[in-house]
Amino acid sequence: MLDSSRPAVTARPDAPARGSVPVGARLVWLLGPALVAGVAYLDPGNVASNMTAGATFGFLLVWVVVLGNTMAWLIQYLSAKLGIVTGKSLPELLGEHIRAAWARRLFWLQAELVAMATDLAEIIGGAIALNLLFDLPLLLGGFVTGSVSMLVLLLQGSGRQKSFERVIISMLVIISLGFAAGVVIDPPSAASVAGGLVPRFEGPSSVLLAASILGATIMPHAIYAHSALTRDRFSVRSEGQTSRRLLWATRWDVTIALAIAGTVNLAILLLAATSLQGVAGTDTLEGAHAAIGQALGGVVATLFAIGLLASGLASTSVGAYAGAEIMHGLLRMRVPLVWRRIVTLVPALIILGVGVDPTWALIMSQVVLSFGIPFALVPLVWFSSRTTLLGEFRNRWYTTVAGVIASVLLVTLNVALLVLIFAGA
């Protein structure tokens, strides 16, 4: 759903001058923040959740992927708009409006747990990929993934925003090719896909996987990060630029990013539903990789593993960026990104070291993320609808209604999930 508000924002003075280059070139210069944030929608947790859903329930949860991606478009656009119009990130605005220090710390704690769950999924995913590609032990693979992500983070920490974006977007291309290859070679039937668009569940396990898919699709840290990415990209303003240009470009940015993410996520589920359903051992990424190799050949399996590796490396860098912004906005503390990376790397290495099933850890991390969604989404909808913050550029009434509906749906699913978990305990 498009929001027709048009905030008065401007572009950087080093942007191409209006009329000096074609419109397409000017648009390309403005793209980037959503593509970086969109990597969060293609992290190893997405792969594990969608692969398990397809292998276990076939096409049953196709509708969850589509619904999640539709809601994600609106959510990411609101986050980007908030950063552009106010010049502040969502965590910064939360830090300003939550007056009590104890309340800020509690809010930070839940957001920090979400960020750590994100890191957990991404480091474990990278470790699994390195094990599949090079037979590295999982603990060593996790250490390598974390170390490489530090190098990527150095670009952002040194202020080379465009270089950081180019690296992440390059990994996004690799991720897309790696995960989409299988479904291109062995496409599903159109009737089966259409049948999966009918909303329904089949028992508590399907609800658990639906919550996991939504937690992996609508990532709380992506909501926090996107407002910061647009703030950083367009923080320097000059005269002669119109608000229409930036928000128009932002809509394109979000649309392209979510179209890529949604297509790839759907491709993962369809690949599993078409080629892996009923195959023994596909409840783990290692087993799925082996099954893909047997069903579609070693080349497709290798591309899948490469996509998983790129997914872990790219998404863990974005997750660390979001975590640092959360701490800065809520606790008013700046911690170097590399130091943050070291601290959040420890829980993932511990889990890899003690021998917890990595695929199970990935799926459960996405469930944790689903519980963090309302804490990011509800304030986002509230802030973006306030005249005192956005003035004439606040949400239109229908945009706010759509945001409220998304919030209610997600909270309801999480409550149902809690009931099912404790009822079965």
Side-chain angles (χ1 to χ4, degrees):
M1 180 179 298
L2 291 178
D3 185 338
S4 58
S5 56
R6 305 187 183 283
V9 287
T10 55
R12 294 167 55 100
D14 58 342
R18 181 177 294 276
S20 62
V21 292
V23 173
R26 295 199 301 269
L27 173 61
V28 169
W29 181 87
L30 294 171
L31 300 181
L35 291 169
V36 173
V39 166
Y41 293 84
L42 293 172
D43 78 339
N46 288 82
V47 181
S49 297
N50 290 313
M51 188 70 68
T52 303
T56 306
F57 294 102
F59 300 91
L60 177 72
L61 298 179
V62 166
W63 68 273
V64 178
V65 177
V66 175
L67 176 64
N69 206 68
T70 302
M71 291 191 292
W73 189 98
L74 173 64
I75 292 165
Q76 292 306 134
Y77 173 68
L78 292 182
S79 178
K81 187 176 78 166
L82 192 68
I84 291 172
V85 177
T86 66
K88 296 177 181 178
S89 68
L90 177 58
E92 286 176 319
L93 291 171
L94 285 166
E96 291 177 1
H97 286 78
I98 302 176
R99 301 299 176 84
W102 63 268
R104 280 200 310 274
R105 294 190 187 102
L106 285 177
F107 199 100
W108 166 80
L109 181 60
Q110 65 79 26
E112 191 66 33
L113 289 175
V114 165
M116 291 182 71
T118 301
D119 275 338
L120 174 68
E122 292 151 357
I123 294 298
I124 290 177
I128 293 174
L130 288 170
N131 176 261
L132 295 175
L133 289 168
F134 307 110
D135 203 27
L136 286 184
L138 289 176
L139 183 60
L140 178 58
F143 180 79
V144 171
T145 302
S147 300
V148 173
S149 71
M150 289 184 196
L151 298 177
V152 177
L153 285 170
L154 288 175
L155 292 175
Q156 176 66 26
S158 63
R160 293 191 286 269
Q161 178 88 0
K162 289 293 291 182
S163 297
F164 177 72
E165 289 178 3
R166 291 189 186 102
V167 170
I168 298 299
I169 292 171
S170 297
M171 292 185 185
L172 179 62
V173 173
I174 297 172
I175 294 167
S176 301
L177 293 174
F179 291 149
V183 79
V184 171
I185 293 175
D186 186 17
S189 70
S192 297
V193 177
L197 293 174
V198 179
R200 64 195 190 281
F201 295 110
E202 289 182 3
S205 296
S206 64
V207 178
L208 178 65
L209 276 172
S212 180
I213 291 171
L214 287 176
T217 303
I218 303 173
M219 304 281 278
H221 79 281
I223 300 174
Y224 295 124
H226 202 166
S227 57
L229 287 164
T230 54
R231 176 205 62 194
D232 291 347
R233 170 70 92 83
F234 305 117
S235 60
V236 181
R237 299 164 185 261
S238 63
E239 295 181 359
Q241 305 295 336
T242 66
S243 60
R244 185 176 310 216
R245 181 187 185 200
L246 267 186
L247 279 195
W248 175 68
T250 296
R251 292 189 190 102
W252 273 105
D253 197 20
V254 174
T255 299
I256 293 170
L258 269 298
I260 294 171
T263 301
V264 175
N265 277 319
L266 188 58
I268 295 170
L269 189 148
L270 296 180
L271 168 64
T274 303
S275 303
L276 306 183
Q277 189 177 9
V279 179
T282 53
D283 54 343
T284 68
L285 287 176
E286 297 93 336
H289 174 264
I292 290 171
Q294 292 178 357
L296 302 176
V299 173
V300 176
T302 299
L303 287 173
F304 174 83
I306 292 172
L308 183 62
L309 177 59
S311 170
L313 292 173
S315 53
T316 193
S317 301
V318 176
Y321 172 85
E325 185 60 36
I326 290 168
M327 180 174 287
H328 166 66
L330 290 166
L331 299 186
R332 296 162 188 172
M333 295 172 54
R334 277 289 186 194
V335 177
L337 286 172
V338 173
W339 283 108
R340 240 203 94 76
R341 168 76 285 169
I342 293 173
V343 172
T344 55
L345 179 62
V346 173
L349 294 180
I350 291 175
I351 287 178
L352 291 172
V354 300
V356 174
D357 176 49
T359 303
W360 179 86
L362 278 174
I363 293 175
M364 292 311 298
S365 72
Q366 303 312 295
V367 175
V368 172
L369 289 177
S370 73
F371 289 110
I373 293 170
F375 293 98
L377 181 53
V378 172
L380 173 67
V381 175
W382 184 63
F383 283 142
S384 59
S385 65
R386 293 190 64 195
T387 304
T388 53
L389 276 179
L390 277 71
E392 61 179 306
F393 315 123
R394 67 191 184 281
N395 295 341
R396 301 298 186 185
W397 68 268
Y398 47 80
T399 305
T400 299
V401 168
V404 170
I405 291 173
S407 302
V408 170
L409 284 173
L410 291 168
V411 172
T412 301
L413 181 61
N414 289 333
V415 171
L417 178 61
L418 277 176
V419 172
L420 290 170
I421 290 175
F422 285 108

